[in-house]
Amino acid sequence: MEPNEVRNALYSDQVRAPVVQAGDIHGDVHLHAPGGTPLDLAAHELATAVRRQWTTEAENRSLRQPAPLQVRFWSTADSRQEPVRGDVRQIASMFRGLSRRQLVVLGEPGAGKTVAALLLTLELLESPRLGEPVPILLAAASWDPTAEHFDVWAIRRLTEDYPALGGQDTARLVADGRVMIVVDGLDELPVHLHAPALDGVNRASGIRPVVVTCRTDEYHAAVAQFGTFLSGAAVVQLAPVRADAVAAHIAETSLDVRWRPVTEVLVAEPFDDVAEVLSSPLMVYLARTAYASPRTEPRELLAFPTRAAIEQHLLNAYMPTVYGPRVDVVDMYRPRRRSSRWPIEDVVRWLAFLAKWPGQEFAWWHLALATPRWATGAVVSLAVLAVGCTPILYGRPSFWPALVAAAVSFVAITSRTRPIAPARPTVTRPNPHHLFRTITWIAAFVITPVAYHTAVFVFGNTVLFAVELSAAVGAGVLTWIGGMVVAERFRPRGVTLLDSRILLREDRRLCVLWLALAAAGFAVLLCSDSCSVVPLLFAVVAGCVGAAGRTAWMSYLVAKTWLALRAEVPWRLMTFLDDARQRGVLRANGPSYQFRHVRLREHLASRRCHN
C-alpha cells in the first residue's frame, strides 16, 4: 500500500451477518471470499472436513451435552511463557492469548488430555479468525521421529486422512504454515522415542503454532533424562476435577434422584474414596455410562471399601453397559446398518486381543502381523501348485515347474516383514507400484520355465539336470528381486482413502480381478492343445495367482480366518469394529481404529495377560 492509502478489506469467512453501507466509503473495497486461491479453497475444505469429523466424535461422546466437565489447568514451573490458568471450556481463548501459540498439555491417565485437545480443535474451527491455521488432531503413535521429519509425518497423515486434498496442496499447506498440528498422546510412543519426538517437534515448529499432549511423568522423565523440551511453549497441568464440579455436572446431565446419595457425599466429603475416583474425567464418564439405565443404583458406589475397588468396578461395568440393549441412532456420515448383538464374553475377548496390539492405532491390513507368514504363503503356494499340475492332463507328468513356481511364491510371501499396505490404481492415473509388481510376477513365472526349457533344449536331459533347474530358478528369483526393487521406488506413501471399509472393498476388487484373470487363463489352458503354449499360459496364470496373493486383502483374509478359528477376532471383523465405533468404545482415525480411552485399553490388555 502507498502512504495514506485507504484499504477496506472484507473477509466473508469472518462475517456471520448482513453487511450494510453507512455513509461514504473512501478508498477501494476488497472482498475476500472463501477459497480466493486454490490453496485458500483447499484450506477451507480441510477445515470443513476436520470440523465435521470431530463434531461427530464430540456428539458420540456427549462432550458438550449440556457442557463439558469443568477440568481446571494451570501453568507448571517449566512453562516458557506467562503463567496461565483456567478450565478446558476456555482453552481456546487461553491459547489465543499466548504470546507464542505453542502449548503442552500434561495430565495423569484419564485426566482429559485428549478431550482438551479435541475441544481446542473444535473451538478454533467453529470460530476461526483471520490468518489462523487449520488445527489437525493427530495421534502421536503413528509417528517415528527417528525415521520421519515432523513435517513429513504431517503431510503423510493429511494425505492419508483427507485424500481429497491431493499431495501437492497438502505439502503447500504444511510448508506455508496453513495447518497447526495437535499431537495427541506423545506418551503412547515407545519410551526411547519420547525425547526424539520432543526434539523433532521443537526443531520443526520454530515459531509456528503447535500443541502436544502427554502424561506428566513421561514428559518430565524425557526432559530430565535428555534435556529436550519445547523451548517456546506454555506448559499446563490438568488438575483433578473438584467434587463440587462433579456433583454439578451430574446434576446437569441427570434428571432423576438416583444420584442424590452420591452427590451429597461428593459435596459433604470431598476426600471420600468416591470423590477421589470421580476426580478423573474418565471415571466420571464411565460412571455416567454404567448407571445410565433407570434400573441401576449409583449409590452402590458408596459400598466399595477402597478406591481401587471402585475403579475396577467401573471399568468392568463399562463393557456390559455399552453392549447392552440400546437405542440405535443414525450417523449422517456413514450408512446405517442393522445393529449387531454380540455376546459380552466374546466382545471382551476380542477387544482384549486388539488392546494388546503394538501402538495406539490398528488397521485391518495390519492383522497379517498377528499370524504366521507361512500361513498366507502356504495358501498361495498350494493354489499355484494346483494350477501347475495342469500339464498332467496332457500326458506330461512334469511336476518341476509347478514345484518351482510354488516355492518362489512361498519365499516371496514369507520373506516380507512388513504388512502389505492397500493401494489401488485410480482412473485418471494408474498406480506405477501395482503396474511394476504385476509385470514382475508375470515375468518371474515366465522366465523360470522358459530358462529351464531353453537349457534342456541346448544341453539335453543330461547329468546337468540339477544345474539347469537351479539356473532357471535363479533367473526367476533374480527377475523377481529386480522388479520388486524397481516397484518399491514407486510405492505410494500411504493410504489414499479415508474410510476403512471403502479401502477394504477396493483392495478386494483388485484381488478378485487378479483371480478372474487367473481363472480366464486357466480356462484357456484347459482348452489349449498346443504343447508349446502350455508353459506360457501356466506362467501367466501362476503370475496372476501370485499377484492376488500379494494384495492386502488376501493377507487380511488369511489372517482373519486364522484368528477367527482361534476365537481371537470375530468372523465379521469390520462390522464389529464399526459397531464398536458407534458404541463409543473405538474411534476412527483416518483408515485406522483406536481405543477412545487409553485407560480402558490398558485395562483390557491386563485382563488378557492375566487370562
Side-chain angles (χ1 to χ4, degrees):
M1 292 176 54
E2 299 294 334
N4 301 322
E5 179 184 350
V6 178
R7 182 180 181 89
N8 303 285
L10 178 64
Y11 294 85
S12 59
D13 281 346
Q14 313 301 322
V15 178
R16 297 293 184 268
V19 178
V20 298
Q21 177 180 344
D24 297 330
I25 297 179
H26 301 280
D28 297 331
V29 177
H30 301 268
L31 175 62
H32 298 267
T37 66
L39 196 61
D40 293 335
L41 180 60
H44 181 73
E45 292 177 348
L46 176 62
T48 301
V50 176
R51 182 172 64 249
R52 184 179 67 180
Q53 174 187 0
W54 295 116
T55 298
T56 303
E57 176 68 18
E59 291 173 352
N60 289 339
R61 299 178 66 172
S62 302
L63 292 181
R64 300 190 287 188
Q65 297 176 358
L69 183 63
Q70 186 179 3
V71 181
R72 299 169 299 152
F73 62 81
W74 50 71
S75 297
T76 64
D78 50 358
S79 178
R80 314 302 294 181
Q81 296 196 35
E82 303 83 4
V84 295
R85 63 175 52 246
D87 67 79
V88 294
R89 292 180 292 187
Q90 293 86 37
I91 191 170
S93 58
M94 180 275 293
F95 182 73
R96 283 174 168 149
L98 296 175
S99 58
R100 178 184 292 184
R101 293 185 180 180
Q102 296 182 351
L103 178 66
V104 177
V105 180
L106 304 180
E108 300 302 322
K113 300 179 292 297
T114 298
V115 171
L118 195 155
L119 291 175
L120 173 62
T121 300
L122 275 179
E123 292 177 23
L124 292 177
L125 288 168
E126 292 173 347
S127 58
R129 295 183 180 178
L130 179 62
E132 284 188 342
V134 180
I136 307 295
L137 180 60
L138 299 177
S142 61
W143 180 34
D144 182 359
T146 62
E148 198 172 29
H149 190 271
F150 182 73
D151 288 348
V152 176
W153 170 62
I155 294 171
R156 176 175 63 83
R157 287 305 307 266
L158 285 174
T159 304
E160 292 175 1
D161 296 352
Y162 310 100
L165 285 175
Q168 294 182 351
D169 286 341
T170 301
R172 289 185 60 192
L173 287 173
V174 174
D176 294 351
R178 303 291 294 271
V179 296
M180 178 189 75
I181 305 302
V182 181
V183 185
D184 182 35
L186 196 72
D187 53 276
E188 290 299 315
L189 291 170
V191 176
H192 68 279
L193 294 180
H194 290 173
L198 285 174
D199 185 63
V201 174
N202 185 54
R203 290 175 179 272
S205 59
I207 61 174
R208 290 184 296 176
V210 68
V211 179
V212 176
T213 71
C214 185
R215 289 184 178 181
T216 305
D217 293 341
E218 283 78 354
Y219 177 81
H220 289 311
V223 172
Q225 184 175 1
F226 299 97
T228 303
F229 59 93
L230 268 68
S231 56
V235 183
V236 299
Q237 173 77 34
L238 296 180
V241 185
R242 295 184 303 180
D244 56 344
V246 175
H249 181 72
I250 292 175
E252 291 177 348
T253 57
S254 178
L255 298 178
D256 51 42
V257 297
R258 295 179 300 117
W259 281 96
R260 184 170 297 172
V262 177
T263 56
E264 290 176 351
V265 170
L266 291 176
V267 175
E269 303 179 35
F271 298 103
D272 185 79
D273 286 338
V274 175
E276 291 289 335
V277 170
L278 296 183
S279 64
S280 165
L282 172 60
M283 292 299 161
V284 174
Y285 167 77
L286 294 180
R288 285 179 52 195
T289 304
Y291 294 102
S293 173
R295 295 186 297 272
T296 58
E297 286 295 336
R299 71 170 67 206
E300 70 182 15
L301 291 173
L302 304 176
F304 289 95
T306 62
R307 173 177 178 175
I310 299 174
E311 291 182 350
Q312 192 70 17
H313 167 71
L314 292 177
L315 289 169
N316 291 334
Y318 177 71
M319 299 305 301
T321 302
V322 296
Y323 278 92
R326 68 187 182 113
V327 178
D328 290 335
V329 297
V330 178
D331 190 336
M332 64 181 298
Y333 301 119
R334 290 177 183 247
R336 184 174 182 176
R337 298 182 177 88
R338 182 172 56 87
S339 178
S340 302
R341 302 301 181 193
W342 312 93
I344 185 60
E345 298 81 5
D346 295 338
V347 168
V348 172
R349 183 175 65 255
W350 297 334
L351 290 176
F353 171 78
L354 296 177
K356 288 292 293 180
W357 200 264
Q360 190 178 0
E361 297 181 334
F362 50 89
W364 58 264
W365 61 90
H366 289 162
L367 205 66
L369 295 174
T371 56
R373 282 176 286 174
W374 60 261
T376 305
V379 171
V380 177
S381 300
L382 289 176
V384 173
L385 186 61
V387 174
C389 292
T390 305
I392 298 178
L393 301 175
Y394 300 92
R396 299 180 61 185
S398 176
F399 291 97
W400 290 109
L403 290 176
V404 170
V408 171
S409 300
F410 184 82
V411 172
I413 292 175
T414 56
S415 62
R416 187 180 183 90
T417 58
R418 296 181 301 172
I420 301 174
R424 65 185 182 96
T426 61
V427 176
T428 57
R429 187 180 62 181
N431 191 323
H433 178 65
H434 276 97
L435 180 61
F436 276 100
R437 281 177 55 185
T438 303
I439 295 175
T440 298
W441 275 100
I442 295 177
F445 281 102
V446 169
I447 287 177
T448 300
V450 169
Y452 172 71
H453 286 287
T454 301
V456 171
F457 177 78
V458 174
F459 299 102
N461 290 319
T462 63
V463 293
L464 299 176
F465 168 76
V467 177
E468 296 169 348
L469 180 62
S470 301
V473 173
V477 171
L478 290 177
T479 302
W480 181 85
I481 293 176
M484 286 300 174
V485 170
V486 175
E488 285 298 318
R489 299 182 58 184
F490 297 94
R491 170 176 290 277
R493 293 200 59 83
V495 178
T496 56
L497 291 174
L498 177 61
D499 187 87
S500 58
R501 283 180 171 269
I502 297 176
L503 198 60
L504 177 65
R505 183 171 65 246
E506 294 297 331
D507 203 73
R508 181 175 57 210
R509 288 176 179 173
L510 180 64
C511 182
V512 171
L513 175 61
W514 284 120
L515 293 177
L517 292 176
F522 187 71
V524 175
L525 182 64
L526 292 178
C527 299
S528 177
D529 56 358
S530 174
C531 295
S532 60
V533 178
V534 168
L536 182 61
L537 289 176
F538 161 69
V540 172
V541 172
C544 291
V545 173
R550 292 277 293 184
T551 59
W553 182 77
M554 180 61 74
S555 299
Y556 163 77
L557 182 63
V558 174
K560 186 186 72 170
T561 303
W562 175 276
L563 295 174
L565 290 174
R566 295 165 55 91
E568 301 280 11
V569 298
W571 286 100
R572 295 185 296 157
L573 177 59
M574 297 304 297
T575 302
F576 172 73
L577 293 176
D578 193 62
D579 181 69
R581 182 197 63 82
Q582 294 180 4
R583 294 176 186 270
V585 179
L586 303 177
R587 74 178 183 187
N589 191 7
S592 303
Y593 289 92
Q594 60 183 199
F595 282 90
R596 274 201 172 100
H597 309 289
V598 177
R599 183 73 179 277
L600 176 64
R601 179 171 66 86
E602 294 173 346
H603 172 71
L604 291 171
S606 65
R607 289 188 59 171
R608 177 176 173 84
C609 291
H610 176 71
N611 292 336

mmCIF file of all heavy atoms in Angstrom, residues 191-196 198 217-228:
data_model
loop_
_atom_site.group_PDB
_atom_site.id
_atom_site.type_symbol
_atom_site.label_atom_id
_atom_site.label_comp_id
_atom_site.label_asym_id
_atom_site.label_seq_id
_atom_site.Cartn_x
_atom_site.Cartn_y
_atom_site.Cartn_z
ATOM 1 N N VAL A 191 9.182 -45.617 24.907
ATOM 2 C CA VAL A 191 9.884 -44.711 25.812
ATOM 3 C C VAL A 191 11.122 -44.105 25.151
ATOM 4 O O VAL A 191 11.401 -42.909 25.325
ATOM 5 C CB VAL A 191 10.283 -45.470 27.105
ATOM 6 C CG1 VAL A 191 11.103 -44.570 28.029
ATOM 7 C CG2 VAL A 191 9.042 -45.962 27.824
ATOM 8 N N HIS A 192 11.840 -44.890 24.362
ATOM 9 C CA HIS A 192 13.071 -44.370 23.766
ATOM 10 C C HIS A 192 12.798 -43.330 22.681
ATOM 11 O O HIS A 192 13.741 -42.681 22.206
ATOM 12 C CB HIS A 192 13.902 -45.521 23.202
ATOM 13 C CG HIS A 192 13.282 -46.187 22.007
ATOM 14 N ND1 HIS A 192 12.286 -47.131 22.112
ATOM 15 C CD2 HIS A 192 13.511 -46.042 20.669
ATOM 16 C CE1 HIS A 192 11.930 -47.544 20.916
ATOM 17 N NE2 HIS A 192 12.652 -46.896 20.018
ATOM 18 N N LEU A 193 11.530 -43.148 22.283
ATOM 19 C CA LEU A 193 11.196 -42.154 21.260
ATOM 20 C C LEU A 193 10.621 -40.870 21.844
ATOM 21 O O LEU A 193 10.336 -39.931 21.088
ATOM 22 C CB LEU A 193 10.192 -42.748 20.257
ATOM 23 C CG LEU A 193 10.682 -43.897 19.383
ATOM 24 C CD1 LEU A 193 9.580 -44.361 18.447
ATOM 25 C CD2 LEU A 193 11.917 -43.492 18.588
ATOM 26 N N HIS A 194 10.436 -40.801 23.164
ATOM 27 C CA HIS A 194 9.850 -39.597 23.759
ATOM 28 C C HIS A 194 10.732 -38.375 23.513
ATOM 29 O O HIS A 194 10.257 -37.328 23.041
ATOM 30 C CB HIS A 194 9.640 -39.805 25.259
ATOM 31 C CG HIS A 194 8.560 -40.788 25.571
ATOM 32 N ND1 HIS A 194 8.291 -41.244 26.850
ATOM 33 C CD2 HIS A 194 7.660 -41.419 24.765
ATOM 34 C CE1 HIS A 194 7.294 -42.090 26.814
ATOM 35 N NE2 HIS A 194 6.902 -42.232 25.561
ATOM 36 N N ALA A 195 12.011 -38.493 23.829
ATOM 37 C CA ALA A 195 12.921 -37.358 23.651
ATOM 38 C C ALA A 195 13.103 -37.003 22.172
ATOM 39 O O ALA A 195 13.040 -35.823 21.814
ATOM 40 C CB ALA A 195 14.268 -37.650 24.313
ATOM 41 N N PRO A 196 13.328 -37.970 21.257
ATOM 42 C CA PRO A 196 13.403 -37.589 19.842
ATOM 43 C C PRO A 196 12.133 -36.927 19.330
ATOM 44 O O PRO A 196 12.198 -36.027 18.479
ATOM 45 C CB PRO A 196 13.654 -38.926 19.131
ATOM 46 C CG PRO A 196 14.308 -39.786 20.154
ATOM 47 C CD PRO A 196 13.700 -39.388 21.455
ATOM 48 N N LEU A 198 9.997 -35.021 21.136
ATOM 49 C CA LEU A 198 10.006 -33.639 21.623
ATOM 50 C C LEU A 198 10.998 -32.789 20.841
ATOM 51 O O LEU A 198 10.704 -31.640 20.471
ATOM 52 C CB LEU A 198 10.350 -33.618 23.109
ATOM 53 C CG LEU A 198 9.244 -34.057 24.086
ATOM 54 C CD1 LEU A 198 9.788 -34.112 25.504
ATOM 55 C CD2 LEU A 198 8.067 -33.100 24.013
ATOM 56 N N ASP A 217 4.306 -37.788 34.020
ATOM 57 C CA ASP A 217 5.555 -38.458 34.396
ATOM 58 C C ASP A 217 6.432 -38.734 33.178
ATOM 59 O O ASP A 217 7.658 -38.554 33.235
ATOM 60 C CB ASP A 217 5.242 -39.768 35.123
ATOM 61 C CG ASP A 217 4.592 -39.538 36.471
ATOM 62 O OD1 ASP A 217 4.704 -38.407 36.995
ATOM 63 O OD2 ASP A 217 3.953 -40.480 36.996
ATOM 64 N N GLU A 218 5.825 -39.154 32.083
ATOM 65 C CA GLU A 218 6.604 -39.456 30.875
ATOM 66 C C GLU A 218 7.254 -38.198 30.307
ATOM 67 O O GLU A 218 8.410 -38.233 29.851
ATOM 68 C CB GLU A 218 5.715 -40.112 29.819
ATOM 69 C CG GLU A 218 5.407 -41.580 30.067
ATOM 70 C CD GLU A 218 4.347 -41.799 31.125
ATOM 71 O OE1 GLU A 218 3.922 -40.804 31.749
ATOM 72 O OE2 GLU A 218 3.938 -42.952 31.339
ATOM 73 N N TYR A 219 6.539 -37.082 30.345
ATOM 74 C CA TYR A 219 7.101 -35.838 29.822
ATOM 75 C C TYR A 219 8.284 -35.375 30.671
ATOM 76 O O TYR A 219 9.363 -35.049 30.149
ATOM 77 C CB TYR A 219 6.022 -34.762 29.796
ATOM 78 C CG TYR A 219 6.514 -33.401 29.325
ATOM 79 C CD1 TYR A 219 6.644 -33.120 27.973
ATOM 80 C CD2 TYR A 219 6.859 -32.409 30.240
ATOM 81 C CE1 TYR A 219 7.106 -31.888 27.537
ATOM 82 C CE2 TYR A 219 7.321 -31.173 29.817
ATOM 83 C CZ TYR A 219 7.436 -30.915 28.464
ATOM 84 O OH TYR A 219 7.894 -29.696 28.050
ATOM 85 N N HIS A 220 8.106 -35.357 31.980
ATOM 86 C CA HIS A 220 9.194 -34.906 32.863
ATOM 87 C C HIS A 220 10.387 -35.858 32.805
ATOM 88 O O HIS A 220 11.540 -35.413 32.909
ATOM 89 C CB HIS A 220 8.683 -34.776 34.298
ATOM 90 C CG HIS A 220 7.746 -33.624 34.495
ATOM 91 N ND1 HIS A 220 8.030 -32.347 34.054
ATOM 92 C CD2 HIS A 220 6.526 -33.548 35.088
ATOM 93 C CE1 HIS A 220 7.040 -31.529 34.369
ATOM 94 N NE2 HIS A 220 6.109 -32.233 34.994
ATOM 95 N N ALA A 221 10.126 -37.156 32.636
ATOM 96 C CA ALA A 221 11.241 -38.112 32.529
ATOM 97 C C ALA A 221 12.052 -37.842 31.267
ATOM 98 O O ALA A 221 13.292 -37.876 31.298
ATOM 99 C CB ALA A 221 10.702 -39.539 32.537
ATOM 100 N N ALA A 222 11.381 -37.565 30.158
ATOM 101 C CA ALA A 222 12.104 -37.277 28.914
ATOM 102 C C ALA A 222 12.897 -35.986 29.024
ATOM 103 O O ALA A 222 14.045 -35.900 28.566
ATOM 104 C CB ALA A 222 11.118 -37.198 27.747
ATOM 105 N N VAL A 223 12.312 -34.979 29.662
ATOM 106 C CA VAL A 223 13.019 -33.705 29.821
ATOM 107 C C VAL A 223 14.217 -33.864 30.752
ATOM 108 O O VAL A 223 15.315 -33.345 30.483
ATOM 109 C CB VAL A 223 12.056 -32.624 30.348
ATOM 110 C CG1 VAL A 223 12.813 -31.357 30.697
ATOM 111 C CG2 VAL A 223 10.973 -32.325 29.317
ATOM 112 N N ALA A 224 14.026 -34.599 31.850
ATOM 113 C CA ALA A 224 15.104 -34.758 32.816
ATOM 114 C C ALA A 224 16.242 -35.607 32.278
ATOM 115 O O ALA A 224 17.417 -35.345 32.557
ATOM 116 C CB ALA A 224 14.553 -35.375 34.102
ATOM 117 N N GLN A 225 15.913 -36.625 31.481
ATOM 118 C CA GLN A 225 16.952 -37.543 31.016
ATOM 119 C C GLN A 225 17.737 -36.986 29.834
ATOM 120 O O GLN A 225 18.947 -37.177 29.745
ATOM 121 C CB GLN A 225 16.308 -38.879 30.641
ATOM 122 C CG GLN A 225 17.327 -39.950 30.241
ATOM 123 C CD GLN A 225 16.678 -41.299 29.999
ATOM 124 O OE1 GLN A 225 15.458 -41.442 30.118
ATOM 125 N NE2 GLN A 225 17.480 -42.286 29.661
ATOM 126 N N PHE A 226 17.043 -36.293 28.924
ATOM 127 C CA PHE A 226 17.698 -35.849 27.694
ATOM 128 C C PHE A 226 17.769 -34.331 27.562
ATOM 129 O O PHE A 226 18.406 -33.825 26.641
ATOM 130 C CB PHE A 226 16.970 -36.422 26.473
ATOM 131 C CG PHE A 226 16.972 -37.918 26.421
ATOM 132 C CD1 PHE A 226 15.882 -38.645 26.884
ATOM 133 C CD2 PHE A 226 18.059 -38.610 25.931
ATOM 134 C CE1 PHE A 226 15.867 -40.020 26.841
ATOM 135 C CE2 PHE A 226 18.064 -39.992 25.886
ATOM 136 C CZ PHE A 226 16.964 -40.704 26.352
ATOM 137 N N GLY A 227 17.104 -33.597 28.451
ATOM 138 C CA GLY A 227 17.133 -32.146 28.383
ATOM 139 C C GLY A 227 16.425 -31.567 27.179
ATOM 140 O O GLY A 227 16.705 -30.442 26.768
ATOM 141 N N THR A 228 15.500 -32.319 26.606
ATOM 142 C CA THR A 228 14.771 -31.883 25.419
ATOM 143 C C THR A 228 13.391 -31.398 25.817
ATOM 144 O O THR A 228 12.688 -32.078 26.568
ATOM 145 C CB THR A 228 14.636 -33.036 24.410
ATOM 146 O OG1 THR A 228 15.947 -33.511 24.081
ATOM 147 C CG2 THR A 228 13.947 -32.579 23.147
#
